[in-house]
Amino acid sequence: MLEVSALDVAYGESHVIHDVSLRVAPDEAVAVMGRNGMGKTTLLKSLIGLLPARGGSIRLNGTELTRLPSHQRVAQGLAFVPQGRMVFPHLTVEQNILSGAARSGHRTVPDYLYRFFPVLQDMRLRKAGNLSGGQQQMLAIARALISEPKVLILDEPTEGIQPSIIKEIAQTLNVLRAERGFAIVVSEQVLSFTLALADRFLVIDRGRLVHDEARATLDQDKVRSFLTV
């Protein structure tokens, strides 16, 4: 279980995340939703250690992560797919995937990754910079998953991707989560994507969590009201 308690994050003197607490159960998918500038990316970067916490606690299965650098959080079981994907454009698809294998020790790409992302197998020797946006997003997810994470963190995964690929990625993540047994934390503004993926919805507004609801009882109009200007 991922447990965040009273988390505070600041950029210099600018206080961005205020007293955020949340729990993500094993195998659960949680969507963090909100308008641009409300703190979604800052929250996720603080979970993986790219931004330091000013206060509070981040624990994974009882292990305190708050003061650990990013690579040690990855070693404990977190994986991060950043906004914009951030693949290595001059490396091949296969080299990109294997670059994430430090925790798991894989020397070759596991069969299950190519089974779920067959286009990556077809293009395994192609440089990542020549892939489409949707293919690069699949690549970034595969690179994160090769570390065999306990929690997969995705920041705005639908950005710049055509709708048909968005639906395919949501379906693939659902099956992967069930088969491989990991939790998901995803920040997103596209409600249709999160409805296809998430078990629970959190809304962040000005750095504070203001709404928490399960998909079964979700008031979609209320969530949409937080996403519009």
Side-chain angles (χ1 to χ4, degrees):
M1 176 181 288
L2 178 65
E3 298 175 276
V4 178
S5 302
L7 187 68
D8 284 284
V9 182
Y11 289 103
E13 297 301 316
S14 179
H15 197 175
V16 181
I17 299 298
H18 306 264
D19 194 32
V20 164
S21 296
L22 61 93
R23 290 187 175 188
V24 181
D27 305 341
E28 184 181 26
V30 174
V32 180
M33 307 200 71
R35 299 188 304 275
N36 285 334
M38 293 296 107
K40 300 188 304 297
T41 293
T42 298
L43 174 60
L44 267 55
K45 284 184 174 181
S46 68
L47 296 182
I48 196 64
L50 295 177
L51 291 173
R54 189 166 75 174
S57 172
I58 303 167
R59 299 174 70 86
L60 181 61
N61 294 338
T63 299
E64 181 64 54
L65 305 182
T66 314
R67 304 304 170 196
L68 296 182
S70 294
H71 70 277
Q72 291 185 16
R73 298 189 197 199
V74 172
Q76 290 295 326
L78 297 185
F80 183 54
V81 179
Q83 186 176 14
R85 299 174 284 279
M86 305 289 286
V87 299
F88 299 109
H90 300 298
L91 298 183
T92 66
V93 165
E94 189 170 88
Q95 289 168 335
N96 265 273
I97 297 173
L98 290 173
S99 71
R103 176 176 183 263
S104 61
H106 288 295
R107 295 181 179 273
T108 59
V109 176
D111 291 341
Y112 81 89
L113 287 177
Y114 282 150
R115 174 163 52 89
F116 280 102
F117 300 110
V119 68
L120 298 183
Q121 184 172 30
D122 295 340
M123 298 183 172
R124 64 189 181 278
L125 301 181
R126 185 176 298 187
K127 289 186 178 180
N130 295 329
L131 273 57
S132 70
Q135 291 163 349
Q136 288 185 1
Q137 186 63 274
M138 294 177 191
L139 175 57
I141 293 170
R143 184 178 64 192
L145 289 177
I146 198 173
S147 70
E148 306 288 357
K150 298 168 185 173
V151 181
L152 176 65
I153 302 169
L154 303 118
D155 189 12
E156 302 278 3
T158 68
E159 183 180 64
I161 298 177
Q162 63 189 49
S164 61
I165 301 298
I166 290 173
K167 184 177 180 180
E168 179 183 346
I169 289 174
Q171 292 171 340
T172 300
L173 284 170
N174 275 326
V175 181
L176 272 164
R177 176 166 60 108
E179 181 177 304
R180 306 300 300 180
F182 56 85
I184 291 174
V185 179
V186 56
S187 77
E188 189 52 80
Q189 295 187 75
V190 178
L191 185 57
S192 60
F193 175 79
T194 56
L195 285 169
L197 179 65
D199 303 307
R200 190 156 52 89
F201 294 76
L202 307 177
V203 176
I204 190 168
D205 186 61
R206 297 179 179 87
R208 301 180 188 274
L209 293 182
V210 297
H211 191 66
D212 182 343
E213 191 170 0
R215 179 171 57 184
T217 60
L218 186 69
D219 184 338
Q220 295 186 32
D221 289 336
K222 185 171 183 177
V223 172
R224 284 192 184 95
S225 72
F226 286 108
L227 302 179
T228 55
V229 177

PDB file of all heavy atoms in Angstrom, residues 18-57:
ATOM      1  N   HIS A  18      -0.494  21.241  -0.266  1.00  0.00           N
ATOM      2  CA  HIS A  18      -0.850  21.598   1.099  1.00  0.00           C
ATOM      3  C   HIS A  18      -1.483  20.410   1.828  1.00  0.00           C
ATOM      4  O   HIS A  18      -2.614  20.004   1.506  1.00  0.00           O
ATOM      5  CB  HIS A  18      -1.860  22.759   1.119  1.00  0.00           C
ATOM      6  CG  HIS A  18      -1.421  23.970   0.354  1.00  0.00           C
ATOM      7  ND1 HIS A  18      -0.813  25.050   0.955  1.00  0.00           N
ATOM      8  CD2 HIS A  18      -1.520  24.278  -0.965  1.00  0.00           C
ATOM      9  CE1 HIS A  18      -0.554  25.971   0.043  1.00  0.00           C
ATOM     10  NE2 HIS A  18      -0.968  25.528  -1.124  1.00  0.00           N
ATOM     11  N   ASP A  19      -0.770  19.807   2.750  1.00  0.00           N
ATOM     12  CA  ASP A  19      -1.353  18.853   3.695  1.00  0.00           C
ATOM     13  C   ASP A  19      -2.150  17.756   2.975  1.00  0.00           C
ATOM     14  O   ASP A  19      -3.281  17.435   3.340  1.00  0.00           O
ATOM     15  CB  ASP A  19      -2.247  19.599   4.689  1.00  0.00           C
ATOM     16  CG  ASP A  19      -2.605  18.738   5.897  1.00  0.00           C
ATOM     17  OD1 ASP A  19      -1.785  17.903   6.300  1.00  0.00           O
ATOM     18  OD2 ASP A  19      -3.726  18.909   6.429  1.00  0.00           O
ATOM     19  N   VAL A  20      -1.564  17.148   1.954  1.00  0.00           N
ATOM     20  CA  VAL A  20      -2.240  16.110   1.178  1.00  0.00           C
ATOM     21  C   VAL A  20      -2.025  14.739   1.813  1.00  0.00           C
ATOM     22  O   VAL A  20      -0.892  14.351   2.101  1.00  0.00           O
ATOM     23  CB  VAL A  20      -1.737  16.107  -0.277  1.00  0.00           C
ATOM     24  CG1 VAL A  20      -2.131  14.814  -0.996  1.00  0.00           C
ATOM     25  CG2 VAL A  20      -2.287  17.308  -1.022  1.00  0.00           C
ATOM     26  N   SER A  21      -3.105  14.032   2.008  1.00  0.00           N
ATOM     27  CA  SER A  21      -3.049  12.662   2.520  1.00  0.00           C
ATOM     28  C   SER A  21      -3.887  11.771   1.607  1.00  0.00           C
ATOM     29  O   SER A  21      -4.996  12.148   1.204  1.00  0.00           O
ATOM     30  CB  SER A  21      -3.594  12.585   3.953  1.00  0.00           C
ATOM     31  OG  SER A  21      -2.786  13.326   4.840  1.00  0.00           O
ATOM     32  N   LEU A  22      -3.359  10.606   1.293  1.00  0.00           N
ATOM     33  CA  LEU A  22      -4.095   9.655   0.449  1.00  0.00           C
ATOM     34  C   LEU A  22      -3.529   8.259   0.652  1.00  0.00           C
ATOM     35  O   LEU A  22      -2.408   8.092   1.122  1.00  0.00           O
ATOM     36  CB  LEU A  22      -4.027  10.061  -1.022  1.00  0.00           C
ATOM     37  CG  LEU A  22      -2.649  10.127  -1.689  1.00  0.00           C
ATOM     38  CD1 LEU A  22      -2.297   8.801  -2.379  1.00  0.00           C
ATOM     39  CD2 LEU A  22      -2.591  11.263  -2.708  1.00  0.00           C
ATOM     40  N   ARG A  23      -4.327   7.272   0.290  1.00  0.00           N
ATOM     41  CA  ARG A  23      -3.896   5.881   0.318  1.00  0.00           C
ATOM     42  C   ARG A  23      -4.249   5.225  -1.007  1.00  0.00           C
ATOM     43  O   ARG A  23      -5.309   5.480  -1.556  1.00  0.00           O
ATOM     44  CB  ARG A  23      -4.568   5.116   1.465  1.00  0.00           C
ATOM     45  CG  ARG A  23      -4.082   5.526   2.853  1.00  0.00           C
ATOM     46  CD  ARG A  23      -4.679   4.601   3.902  1.00  0.00           C
ATOM     47  NE  ARG A  23      -4.151   4.890   5.231  1.00  0.00           N
ATOM     48  CZ  ARG A  23      -4.386   4.140   6.300  1.00  0.00           C
ATOM     49  NH1 ARG A  23      -5.146   3.054   6.180  1.00  0.00           N
ATOM     50  NH2 ARG A  23      -3.870   4.464   7.461  1.00  0.00           N
ATOM     51  N   VAL A  24      -3.347   4.385  -1.477  1.00  0.00           N
ATOM     52  CA  VAL A  24      -3.595   3.613  -2.680  1.00  0.00           C
ATOM     53  C   VAL A  24      -3.368   2.148  -2.326  1.00  0.00           C
ATOM     54  O   VAL A  24      -2.265   1.743  -1.966  1.00  0.00           O
ATOM     55  CB  VAL A  24      -2.650   4.027  -3.826  1.00  0.00           C
ATOM     56  CG1 VAL A  24      -2.957   3.218  -5.085  1.00  0.00           C
ATOM     57  CG2 VAL A  24      -2.769   5.521  -4.113  1.00  0.00           C
ATOM     58  N   ALA A  25      -4.426   1.357  -2.411  1.00  0.00           N
ATOM     59  CA  ALA A  25      -4.350  -0.056  -2.030  1.00  0.00           C
ATOM     60  C   ALA A  25      -3.618  -0.852  -3.110  1.00  0.00           C
ATOM     61  O   ALA A  25      -3.537  -0.430  -4.268  1.00  0.00           O
ATOM     62  CB  ALA A  25      -5.753  -0.607  -1.836  1.00  0.00           C
ATOM     63  N   PRO A  26      -3.069  -2.011  -2.767  1.00  0.00           N
ATOM     64  CA  PRO A  26      -2.461  -2.877  -3.777  1.00  0.00           C
ATOM     65  C   PRO A  26      -3.468  -3.186  -4.894  1.00  0.00           C
ATOM     66  O   PRO A  26      -4.637  -3.473  -4.624  1.00  0.00           O
ATOM     67  CB  PRO A  26      -2.115  -4.145  -2.987  1.00  0.00           C
ATOM     68  CG  PRO A  26      -1.964  -3.689  -1.573  1.00  0.00           C
ATOM     69  CD  PRO A  26      -2.963  -2.588  -1.397  1.00  0.00           C
ATOM     70  N   ASP A  27      -3.013  -3.078  -6.128  1.00  0.00           N
ATOM     71  CA  ASP A  27      -3.818  -3.365  -7.321  1.00  0.00           C
ATOM     72  C   ASP A  27      -4.892  -2.311  -7.611  1.00  0.00           C
ATOM     73  O   ASP A  27      -5.653  -2.465  -8.560  1.00  0.00           O
ATOM     74  CB  ASP A  27      -4.491  -4.739  -7.236  1.00  0.00           C
ATOM     75  CG  ASP A  27      -3.505  -5.874  -6.978  1.00  0.00           C
ATOM     76  OD1 ASP A  27      -2.304  -5.678  -7.217  1.00  0.00           O
ATOM     77  OD2 ASP A  27      -3.948  -6.941  -6.534  1.00  0.00           O
ATOM     78  N   GLU A  28      -4.976  -1.235  -6.829  1.00  0.00           N
ATOM     79  CA  GLU A  28      -5.965  -0.199  -7.058  1.00  0.00           C
ATOM     80  C   GLU A  28      -5.439   0.818  -8.072  1.00  0.00           C
ATOM     81  O   GLU A  28      -4.241   1.091  -8.130  1.00  0.00           O
ATOM     82  CB  GLU A  28      -6.298   0.516  -5.748  1.00  0.00           C
ATOM     83  CG  GLU A  28      -7.400   1.558  -5.865  1.00  0.00           C
ATOM     84  CD  GLU A  28      -7.704   2.268  -4.559  1.00  0.00           C
ATOM     85  OE1 GLU A  28      -6.797   2.357  -3.696  1.00  0.00           O
ATOM     86  OE2 GLU A  28      -8.852   2.734  -4.402  1.00  0.00           O
ATOM     87  N   ALA A  29      -6.354   1.384  -8.863  1.00  0.00           N
ATOM     88  CA  ALA A  29      -6.005   2.480  -9.770  1.00  0.00           C
ATOM     89  C   ALA A  29      -6.701   3.746  -9.295  1.00  0.00           C
ATOM     90  O   ALA A  29      -7.928   3.774  -9.167  1.00  0.00           O
ATOM     91  CB  ALA A  29      -6.420   2.162 -11.202  1.00  0.00           C
ATOM     92  N   VAL A  30      -5.899   4.779  -9.027  1.00  0.00           N
ATOM     93  CA  VAL A  30      -6.409   6.039  -8.501  1.00  0.00           C
ATOM     94  C   VAL A  30      -6.074   7.150  -9.476  1.00  0.00           C
ATOM     95  O   VAL A  30      -4.917   7.296  -9.888  1.00  0.00           O
ATOM     96  CB  VAL A  30      -5.813   6.344  -7.115  1.00  0.00           C
ATOM     97  CG1 VAL A  30      -6.232   7.730  -6.635  1.00  0.00           C
ATOM     98  CG2 VAL A  30      -6.247   5.284  -6.111  1.00  0.00           C
ATOM     99  N   ALA A  31      -7.082   7.935  -9.851  1.00  0.00           N
ATOM    100  CA  ALA A  31      -6.886   9.081 -10.749  1.00  0.00           C
ATOM    101  C   ALA A  31      -6.855  10.359  -9.924  1.00  0.00           C
ATOM    102  O   ALA A  31      -7.718  10.583  -9.074  1.00  0.00           O
ATOM    103  CB  ALA A  31      -8.004   9.150 -11.771  1.00  0.00           C
ATOM    104  N   VAL A  32      -5.851  11.195 -10.187  1.00  0.00           N
ATOM    105  CA  VAL A  32      -5.760  12.526  -9.586  1.00  0.00           C
ATOM    106  C   VAL A  32      -6.106  13.521 -10.681  1.00  0.00           C
ATOM    107  O   VAL A  32      -5.386  13.643 -11.675  1.00  0.00           O
ATOM    108  CB  VAL A  32      -4.350  12.803  -9.031  1.00  0.00           C
ATOM    109  CG1 VAL A  32      -4.288  14.194  -8.413  1.00  0.00           C
ATOM    110  CG2 VAL A  32      -3.956  11.738  -8.008  1.00  0.00           C
ATOM    111  N   MET A  33      -7.215  14.215 -10.508  1.00  0.00           N
ATOM    112  CA  MET A  33      -7.732  15.078 -11.558  1.00  0.00           C
ATOM    113  C   MET A  33      -7.770  16.532 -11.103  1.00  0.00           C
ATOM    114  O   MET A  33      -7.865  16.820  -9.907  1.00  0.00           O
ATOM    115  CB  MET A  33      -9.123  14.621 -11.982  1.00  0.00           C
ATOM    116  CG  MET A  33      -9.192  13.142 -12.374  1.00  0.00           C
ATOM    117  SD  MET A  33     -10.625  12.734 -13.377  1.00  0.00           S
ATOM    118  CE  MET A  33     -10.162  13.527 -14.926  1.00  0.00           C
ATOM    119  N   GLY A  34      -7.700  17.442 -12.060  1.00  0.00           N
ATOM    120  CA  GLY A  34      -7.745  18.857 -11.753  1.00  0.00           C
ATOM    121  C   GLY A  34      -7.289  19.669 -12.944  1.00  0.00           C
ATOM    122  O   GLY A  34      -6.688  19.136 -13.881  1.00  0.00           O
ATOM    123  N   ARG A  35      -7.556  20.950 -12.916  1.00  0.00           N
ATOM    124  CA  ARG A  35      -7.133  21.840 -13.992  1.00  0.00           C
ATOM    125  C   ARG A  35      -5.621  22.007 -13.993  1.00  0.00           C
ATOM    126  O   ARG A  35      -4.936  21.667 -13.031  1.00  0.00           O
ATOM    127  CB  ARG A  35      -7.810  23.215 -13.845  1.00  0.00           C
ATOM    128  CG  ARG A  35      -9.327  23.174 -13.910  1.00  0.00           C
ATOM    129  CD  ARG A  35      -9.911  24.578 -13.950  1.00  0.00           C
ATOM    130  NE  ARG A  35      -9.488  25.398 -12.821  1.00  0.00           N
ATOM    131  CZ  ARG A  35     -10.083  25.397 -11.636  1.00  0.00           C
ATOM    132  NH1 ARG A  35     -11.105  24.596 -11.401  1.00  0.00           N
ATOM    133  NH2 ARG A  35      -9.656  26.189 -10.670  1.00  0.00           N
ATOM    134  N   ASN A  36      -5.104  22.580 -15.070  1.00  0.00           N
ATOM    135  CA  ASN A  36      -3.682  22.907 -15.136  1.00  0.00           C
ATOM    136  C   ASN A  36      -3.311  23.853 -13.996  1.00  0.00           C
ATOM    137  O   ASN A  36      -4.061  24.779 -13.678  1.00  0.00           O
ATOM    138  CB  ASN A  36      -3.339  23.563 -16.476  1.00  0.00           C
ATOM    139  CG  ASN A  36      -3.294  22.564 -17.613  1.00  0.00           C
ATOM    140  OD1 ASN A  36      -3.051  21.377 -17.405  1.00  0.00           O
ATOM    141  ND2 ASN A  36      -3.535  23.040 -18.830  1.00  0.00           N
ATOM    142  N   GLY A  37      -2.152  23.620 -13.416  1.00  0.00           N
ATOM    143  CA  GLY A  37      -1.660  24.509 -12.375  1.00  0.00           C
ATOM    144  C   GLY A  37      -2.214  24.253 -10.996  1.00  0.00           C
ATOM    145  O   GLY A  37      -1.925  25.009 -10.059  1.00  0.00           O
ATOM    146  N   MET A  38      -2.969  23.165 -10.814  1.00  0.00           N
ATOM    147  CA  MET A  38      -3.573  22.869  -9.511  1.00  0.00           C
ATOM    148  C   MET A  38      -2.690  21.986  -8.630  1.00  0.00           C
ATOM    149  O   MET A  38      -2.999  21.761  -7.471  1.00  0.00           O
ATOM    150  CB  MET A  38      -4.945  22.205  -9.689  1.00  0.00           C
ATOM    151  CG  MET A  38      -6.000  23.120 -10.301  1.00  0.00           C
ATOM    152  SD  MET A  38      -6.407  24.542  -9.271  1.00  0.00           S
ATOM    153  CE  MET A  38      -5.597  25.861 -10.193  1.00  0.00           C
ATOM    154  N   GLY A  39      -1.595  21.444  -9.209  1.00  0.00           N
ATOM    155  CA  GLY A  39      -0.656  20.682  -8.393  1.00  0.00           C
ATOM    156  C   GLY A  39      -0.535  19.211  -8.728  1.00  0.00           C
ATOM    157  O   GLY A  39       0.159  18.475  -8.019  1.00  0.00           O
ATOM    158  N   LYS A  40      -1.159  18.750  -9.809  1.00  0.00           N
ATOM    159  CA  LYS A  40      -1.121  17.321 -10.138  1.00  0.00           C
ATOM    160  C   LYS A  40       0.306  16.830 -10.367  1.00  0.00           C
ATOM    161  O   LYS A  40       0.754  15.861  -9.761  1.00  0.00           O
ATOM    162  CB  LYS A  40      -1.969  17.029 -11.388  1.00  0.00           C
ATOM    163  CG  LYS A  40      -3.430  17.381 -11.277  1.00  0.00           C
ATOM    164  CD  LYS A  40      -4.241  16.883 -12.472  1.00  0.00           C
ATOM    165  CE  LYS A  40      -3.745  17.358 -13.815  1.00  0.00           C
ATOM    166  NZ  LYS A  40      -3.826  18.839 -13.981  1.00  0.00           N
ATOM    167  N   THR A  41       1.012  17.505 -11.275  1.00  0.00           N
ATOM    168  CA  THR A  41       2.375  17.075 -11.599  1.00  0.00           C
ATOM    169  C   THR A  41       3.300  17.228 -10.403  1.00  0.00           C
ATOM    170  O   THR A  41       4.155  16.364 -10.151  1.00  0.00           O
ATOM    171  CB  THR A  41       2.906  17.880 -12.801  1.00  0.00           C
ATOM    172  OG1 THR A  41       2.148  17.526 -13.969  1.00  0.00           O
ATOM    173  CG2 THR A  41       4.376  17.582 -13.060  1.00  0.00           C
ATOM    174  N   THR A  42       3.151  18.296  -9.655  1.00  0.00           N
ATOM    175  CA  THR A  42       3.983  18.487  -8.463  1.00  0.00           C
ATOM    176  C   THR A  42       3.777  17.352  -7.471  1.00  0.00           C
ATOM    177  O   THR A  42       4.748  16.824  -6.891  1.00  0.00           O
ATOM    178  CB  THR A  42       3.646  19.834  -7.792  1.00  0.00           C
ATOM    179  OG1 THR A  42       3.954  20.889  -8.707  1.00  0.00           O
ATOM    180  CG2 THR A  42       4.451  20.029  -6.513  1.00  0.00           C
ATOM    181  N   LEU A  43       2.535  16.945  -7.274  1.00  0.00           N
ATOM    182  CA  LEU A  43       2.253  15.842  -6.360  1.00  0.00           C
ATOM    183  C   LEU A  43       2.935  14.569  -6.817  1.00  0.00           C
ATOM    184  O   LEU A  43       3.614  13.890  -6.036  1.00  0.00           O
ATOM    185  CB  LEU A  43       0.738  15.628  -6.258  1.00  0.00           C
ATOM    186  CG  LEU A  43       0.285  14.422  -5.440  1.00  0.00           C
ATOM    187  CD1 LEU A  43       0.763  14.517  -4.000  1.00  0.00           C
ATOM    188  CD2 LEU A  43      -1.235  14.267  -5.502  1.00  0.00           C
ATOM    189  N   LEU A  44       2.812  14.238  -8.096  1.00  0.00           N
ATOM    190  CA  LEU A  44       3.406  12.997  -8.592  1.00  0.00           C
ATOM    191  C   LEU A  44       4.928  13.049  -8.558  1.00  0.00           C
ATOM    192  O   LEU A  44       5.584  12.053  -8.212  1.00  0.00           O
ATOM    193  CB  LEU A  44       2.903  12.713 -10.010  1.00  0.00           C
ATOM    194  CG  LEU A  44       1.663  11.816 -10.095  1.00  0.00           C
ATOM    195  CD1 LEU A  44       0.513  12.354  -9.274  1.00  0.00           C
ATOM    196  CD2 LEU A  44       1.239  11.603 -11.548  1.00  0.00           C
ATOM    197  N   LYS A  45       5.510  14.198  -8.906  1.00  0.00           N
ATOM    198  CA  LYS A  45       6.970  14.309  -8.841  1.00  0.00           C
ATOM    199  C   LYS A  45       7.477  14.183  -7.406  1.00  0.00           C
ATOM    200  O   LYS A  45       8.576  13.666  -7.167  1.00  0.00           O
ATOM    201  CB  LYS A  45       7.421  15.644  -9.441  1.00  0.00           C
ATOM    202  CG  LYS A  45       7.389  15.681 -10.962  1.00  0.00           C
ATOM    203  CD  LYS A  45       7.944  16.993 -11.488  1.00  0.00           C
ATOM    204  CE  LYS A  45       8.053  17.000 -13.003  1.00  0.00           C
ATOM    205  NZ  LYS A  45       8.617  18.268 -13.514  1.00  0.00           N
ATOM    206  N   SER A  46       6.686  14.641  -6.453  1.00  0.00           N
ATOM    207  CA  SER A  46       7.102  14.493  -5.059  1.00  0.00           C
ATOM    208  C   SER A  46       7.028  13.032  -4.614  1.00  0.00           C
ATOM    209  O   SER A  46       7.836  12.581  -3.802  1.00  0.00           O
ATOM    210  CB  SER A  46       6.251  15.374  -4.141  1.00  0.00           C
ATOM    211  OG  SER A  46       4.910  14.917  -4.069  1.00  0.00           O
ATOM    212  N   LEU A  47       6.069  12.262  -5.165  1.00  0.00           N
ATOM    213  CA  LEU A  47       5.973  10.844  -4.814  1.00  0.00           C
ATOM    214  C   LEU A  47       7.211  10.074  -5.276  1.00  0.00           C
ATOM    215  O   LEU A  47       7.719   9.213  -4.551  1.00  0.00           O
ATOM    216  CB  LEU A  47       4.730  10.220  -5.445  1.00  0.00           C
ATOM    217  CG  LEU A  47       3.361  10.738  -4.981  1.00  0.00           C
ATOM    218  CD1 LEU A  47       2.246   9.970  -5.672  1.00  0.00           C
ATOM    219  CD2 LEU A  47       3.219  10.652  -3.470  1.00  0.00           C
ATOM    220  N   ILE A  48       7.700  10.399  -6.475  1.00  0.00           N
ATOM    221  CA  ILE A  48       8.844   9.663  -7.022  1.00  0.00           C
ATOM    222  C   ILE A  48      10.173  10.262  -6.574  1.00  0.00           C
ATOM    223  O   ILE A  48      11.235   9.673  -6.780  1.00  0.00           O
ATOM    224  CB  ILE A  48       8.752   9.591  -8.564  1.00  0.00           C
ATOM    225  CG1 ILE A  48       9.696   8.521  -9.136  1.00  0.00           C
ATOM    226  CG2 ILE A  48       9.007  10.944  -9.190  1.00  0.00           C
ATOM    227  CD1 ILE A  48       9.385   7.122  -8.725  1.00  0.00           C
ATOM    228  N   GLY A  49      10.141  11.455  -5.947  1.00  0.00           N
ATOM    229  CA  GLY A  49      11.363  12.042  -5.405  1.00  0.00           C
ATOM    230  C   GLY A  49      12.038  13.059  -6.299  1.00  0.00           C
ATOM    231  O   GLY A  49      13.166  13.482  -6.008  1.00  0.00           O
ATOM    232  N   LEU A  50      11.382  13.485  -7.369  1.00  0.00           N
ATOM    233  CA  LEU A  50      11.960  14.526  -8.224  1.00  0.00           C
ATOM    234  C   LEU A  50      11.825  15.905  -7.599  1.00  0.00           C
ATOM    235  O   LEU A  50      12.543  16.830  -7.963  1.00  0.00           O
ATOM    236  CB  LEU A  50      11.295  14.504  -9.599  1.00  0.00           C
ATOM    237  CG  LEU A  50      11.534  13.232 -10.423  1.00  0.00           C
ATOM    238  CD1 LEU A  50      10.764  13.288 -11.732  1.00  0.00           C
ATOM    239  CD2 LEU A  50      13.028  13.033 -10.693  1.00  0.00           C
ATOM    240  N   LEU A  51      10.902  16.040  -6.665  1.00  0.00           N
ATOM    241  CA  LEU A  51      10.758  17.265  -5.879  1.00  0.00           C
ATOM    242  C   LEU A  51      10.752  16.874  -4.401  1.00  0.00           C
ATOM    243  O   LEU A  51      10.076  15.924  -4.012  1.00  0.00           O
ATOM    244  CB  LEU A  51       9.447  17.982  -6.219  1.00  0.00           C
ATOM    245  CG  LEU A  51       9.356  18.614  -7.600  1.00  0.00           C
ATOM    246  CD1 LEU A  51       7.940  19.135  -7.840  1.00  0.00           C
ATOM    247  CD2 LEU A  51      10.360  19.747  -7.751  1.00  0.00           C
ATOM    248  N   PRO A  52      11.488  17.598  -3.564  1.00  0.00           N
ATOM    249  CA  PRO A  52      11.541  17.237  -2.142  1.00  0.00           C
ATOM    250  C   PRO A  52      10.284  17.684  -1.405  1.00  0.00           C
ATOM    251  O   PRO A  52       9.674  18.708  -1.740  1.00  0.00           O
ATOM    252  CB  PRO A  52      12.766  18.003  -1.637  1.00  0.00           C
ATOM    253  CG  PRO A  52      12.854  19.190  -2.549  1.00  0.00           C
ATOM    254  CD  PRO A  52      12.381  18.717  -3.889  1.00  0.00           C
ATOM    255  N   ALA A  53       9.900  16.919  -0.427  1.00  0.00           N
ATOM    256  CA  ALA A  53       8.776  17.293   0.434  1.00  0.00           C
ATOM    257  C   ALA A  53       9.276  18.233   1.530  1.00  0.00           C
ATOM    258  O   ALA A  53      10.344  18.025   2.104  1.00  0.00           O
ATOM    259  CB  ALA A  53       8.160  16.052   1.062  1.00  0.00           C
ATOM    260  N   ARG A  54       8.487  19.259   1.803  1.00  0.00           N
ATOM    261  CA  ARG A  54       8.807  20.158   2.910  1.00  0.00           C
ATOM    262  C   ARG A  54       8.312  19.595   4.231  1.00  0.00           C
ATOM    263  O   ARG A  54       8.836  19.911   5.295  1.00  0.00           O
ATOM    264  CB  ARG A  54       8.205  21.539   2.645  1.00  0.00           C
ATOM    265  CG  ARG A  54       8.681  22.597   3.636  1.00  0.00           C
ATOM    266  CD  ARG A  54       8.346  23.997   3.169  1.00  0.00           C
ATOM    267  NE  ARG A  54       6.935  24.309   3.335  1.00  0.00           N
ATOM    268  CZ  ARG A  54       6.409  25.511   3.111  1.00  0.00           C
ATOM    269  NH1 ARG A  54       7.175  26.504   2.662  1.00  0.00           N
ATOM    270  NH2 ARG A  54       5.131  25.740   3.287  1.00  0.00           N
ATOM    271  N   GLY A  55       7.313  18.747   4.147  1.00  0.00           N
ATOM    272  CA  GLY A  55       6.768  18.124   5.342  1.00  0.00           C
ATOM    273  C   GLY A  55       5.902  16.946   4.962  1.00  0.00           C
ATOM    274  O   GLY A  55       5.507  16.783   3.810  1.00  0.00           O
ATOM    275  N   GLY A  56       5.610  16.077   5.923  1.00  0.00           N
ATOM    276  CA  GLY A  56       4.752  14.936   5.682  1.00  0.00           C
ATOM    277  C   GLY A  56       5.523  13.655   5.448  1.00  0.00           C
ATOM    278  O   GLY A  56       6.744  13.590   5.639  1.00  0.00           O
ATOM    279  N   SER A  57       4.816  12.621   5.011  1.00  0.00           N
ATOM    280  CA  SER A  57       5.386  11.284   4.909  1.00  0.00           C
ATOM    281  C   SER A  57       4.866  10.574   3.672  1.00  0.00           C
ATOM    282  O   SER A  57       3.694  10.707   3.310  1.00  0.00           O
ATOM    283  CB  SER A  57       5.021  10.473   6.161  1.00  0.00           C
ATOM    284  OG  SER A  57       5.406   9.116   6.029  1.00  0.00           O
TER     285      SER A  57
END
